[in-house]
Amino acid sequence: MEALSLLELNALVRRSLEQCLPDEYWVQAELSDVRTNSTGHCYLEFIQKAPRSNGLVAKARGTIWSNVYRLLKPYFEEATGQAFVSGIKVLVQVTVSFHELYGYSLTVQDIDPTYTLGDMARRRREILKQLEEEGVLTLNKELEMPTLPQRIAVISSPTAAGYGDFCHQLKNNPRNFFFYTELFPALMQGDRVEESVLAALDLILNRQNDFDAVVIIRGGGATSDLSGFDTYLLAAACAQFPLPIITGIGHERDDTVLDSVAHTRVKTPTAAAEYLINCMDLAADELEVLITQLHDSVISRLTEEHRRLALYRNRIPSAVVRRVSDAKLALLTARKDISQAVTTSLARQQHRLDLLRQRLVDASPEKMLARGYSITLKDGKVVKDATLLNEKDEILTRFYRGEVTSVVNHKS
């Protein structure tokens, strides 16, 4: 039996693959171990995992040559807003090759961003569905934005152009509204976005009474760095945050998960500042309306009171005349009543005097003598007790008509 060398066998495999698989094929896979060397070539692995166990079921080495990679990478990231990194699912057009030294590999010729967009959208839907099932999806949206949102906690990179634009817009608002802003620095791109923003939210939570709202802004970075805002932990923290959250992370194509749970989503940091200024504008306009209403109400009330005062002033003379007339009438009536009362009282007293006079007359000695009584006097004094008389005493007896003098001869 004639033996083949390894090189001969590998060459046979290469020729066989080239003959059997000469075309280009669209392949669905997940990126793994994505690396770029100094020449601009991208080396990576394509993997496939079992749906349930998540274990590897297939793996292939891949290559994207520099002339393709420098066009493919920005095209993909611009279309998806997702960095071309490990962990994402892609649909790539590849050719199958086999090298005697390096073995089996797939050479990428093209990529379809819509597949990745679909997968990203599916993951977003899964996160939003989970938040909805947990009952927290709309909690932040249900918070009431303060009427005067002037104390703002800002989560952003201190060197981001968007942060400077945001502060400049607030400071130079047309009506000179005052805003207090405090920066809580965080990374707005890279694989530490979630961790960094969560740490900033924790710091704000410890001082939540110092602020009216939270603004998460990002500006000047690549759209491919937005994947950090599509995580469950960050979305859950923002959805349940006790202060209204405004996002302006510069993503115009569609919403990230963070945008979906925030109280208010705007496109850019400048738009976030405009939103806050508009809130103040609305409050100021409402205040001006209330001031106008108060002014009009005061003028109307003063006019009404002046009218009432003039009416009362015009009524005073006639009221005084009527009151004096009523008083005179009351006085006349009272005088008549007093006169009648005095007359009645005098008549009653006169009748009483007449009765007393009659009783006096009836009780006078003359009346008693006229009835047959007599009066005995001794030394000019009425004798009431016979024991007070002695024998030989001279007494005078007075009758109705005449009187007699007697001497006491005997007492019994």
Side-chain angles (χ1 to χ4, degrees):
M1 179 182 294
E2 183 178 354
L4 296 174
S5 68
L6 179 59
L7 177 60
E8 290 173 335
L9 178 59
N10 283 353
L12 178 60
V13 172
R14 178 175 60 80
R15 289 193 298 270
S16 299
L17 285 176
E18 290 175 351
Q19 292 173 3
C20 295
L21 301 171
D23 300 323
E24 296 174 340
Y25 302 92
W26 285 98
V27 177
Q28 299 172 356
E30 181 178 326
L31 298 184
S32 176
D33 194 22
V34 178
R35 293 171 288 108
T36 306
N37 67 7
S38 58
T39 62
H41 302 313
C42 178
Y43 299 98
L44 66 159
E45 280 190 338
F46 295 107
I47 61 173
Q48 181 176 341
K49 298 176 181 177
R52 294 186 179 180
S53 66
N54 211 36
L56 288 180
V57 295
K59 180 171 66 173
R61 184 168 54 86
T63 304
I64 310 176
W65 302 120
S66 61
N67 61 326
V68 175
Y69 187 62
R70 67 171 176 263
L71 298 175
L72 183 146
K73 182 177 184 292
Y75 164 65
F76 174 83
E77 293 183 345
E78 179 65 27
T80 63
Q82 167 69 56
F84 192 81
V85 294
S86 300
I88 63 172
K89 292 183 178 180
V90 294
L91 177 62
V92 289
Q93 187 183 53
V94 300
T95 57
V96 181
S97 61
F98 188 88
H99 191 275
E100 288 83 347
L101 180 60
Y102 301 111
Y104 168 70
S105 69
L106 303 176
T107 302
V108 177
Q109 305 295 332
D110 199 358
I111 191 167
D112 184 358
T114 58
Y115 176 81
T116 304
L117 285 172
D119 182 66
M120 292 167 58
R122 177 186 58 78
R123 284 187 294 171
R124 289 188 188 127
R125 287 196 301 269
E126 290 174 351
I127 293 174
L128 294 175
K129 182 179 179 182
Q130 182 177 352
L131 294 173
E132 184 176 15
E133 290 173 349
E134 293 171 356
V136 301
L137 179 64
T138 61
L139 290 183
N140 198 260
K141 292 182 180 297
E142 293 168 5
L143 295 177
E144 184 176 354
M145 181 65 68
T147 303
L148 302 174
Q150 294 177 283
R151 303 174 301 162
I152 311 301
V154 184
I155 299 178
S156 181
S157 170
T159 59
Y163 173 62
D165 294 341
F166 173 80
C167 294
H168 180 270
Q169 193 78 5
L170 284 186
K171 184 177 180 180
N172 296 281
N173 67 86
R175 297 171 77 169
N176 294 319
F177 296 129
F178 171 77
F179 290 94
Y180 168 76
T181 60
E182 184 172 340
L183 176 65
F184 291 81
L187 297 174
M188 292 288 107
Q189 56 187 4
D191 56 3
R192 293 185 58 199
V193 169
E194 178 187 71
E195 172 190 348
S196 182
V197 174
L198 285 174
L201 286 173
D202 285 341
L203 293 175
I204 297 170
L205 184 62
N206 292 332
R207 297 174 50 200
Q208 61 175 303
N209 293 330
D210 296 338
F211 303 102
D212 300 314
V214 178
V215 172
I216 302 176
I217 52 176
R218 167 187 180 275
T223 56
S224 59
D225 294 319
L226 288 169
S227 58
F229 301 100
D230 275 328
T231 68
Y232 168 78
L233 290 179
L234 182 56
C238 289
Q240 300 174 82
F241 205 74
L243 295 175
I245 292 179
I246 303 166
T247 59
I249 56 178
H251 190 40
E252 299 186 12
R253 184 179 51 79
D254 60 1
D255 291 345
T256 63
V257 175
L258 178 60
D259 291 322
S260 298
V261 300
H263 181 281
T264 302
R265 184 260 190 189
V266 294
K267 293 181 179 180
T268 63
T270 300
E274 284 297 331
Y275 172 81
L276 294 170
I277 294 170
N278 184 61
C279 288
M280 296 290 290
D281 276 332
L282 292 176
D285 291 343
E286 184 176 352
L287 182 60
E288 289 182 357
V289 170
L290 293 175
I291 291 173
T292 301
Q293 291 178 349
L294 178 61
H295 177 268
D296 293 344
S297 296
V298 169
I299 295 299
S300 176
R301 185 63 180 269
L302 288 175
T303 302
E304 176 63 20
E305 293 303 318
H306 279 307
R307 188 191 65 80
R308 291 178 59 188
L309 186 61
L311 181 63
Y312 290 151
R313 185 170 58 246
N314 294 334
R315 289 179 177 177
I316 288 175
S318 58
V320 169
V321 171
R322 183 171 60 255
R323 190 65 179 267
V324 171
S325 177
D326 291 343
K328 287 182 178 179
L329 179 61
L331 184 61
L332 290 174
T333 302
R335 183 182 299 168
K336 290 180 180 180
D337 292 341
I338 292 173
S339 176
Q340 183 176 359
V342 170
T343 301
T344 301
S345 178
L346 289 175
R348 188 182 302 113
Q349 296 301 324
Q350 184 63 45
H351 176 68
R352 184 181 178 190
L353 287 175
D354 291 343
L355 291 176
L356 292 174
R357 186 183 298 112
Q358 186 62 43
R359 289 175 63 182
L360 288 174
V361 169
D362 291 342
S364 65
E366 288 79 4
K367 283 285 186 180
M368 298 297 294
L369 293 175
R371 293 174 183 170
Y373 292 98
S374 63
I375 300 175
T376 301
L377 303 173
K378 177 187 176 182
D379 299 329
K381 297 181 179 179
V382 176
V383 178
K384 298 180 179 180
D385 187 355
T387 60
L388 297 177
L389 297 175
N390 297 312
E391 291 182 358
K392 304 296 184 179
D393 285 344
E394 185 177 290
I395 58 175
L396 176 66
T397 301
R398 183 174 294 170
F399 300 96
Y400 176 69
R401 295 186 185 273
E403 55 186 25
V404 293
T405 301
S406 304
V407 175
V408 178
N409 292 322
H410 175 74
K411 288 194 315 179
S412 58

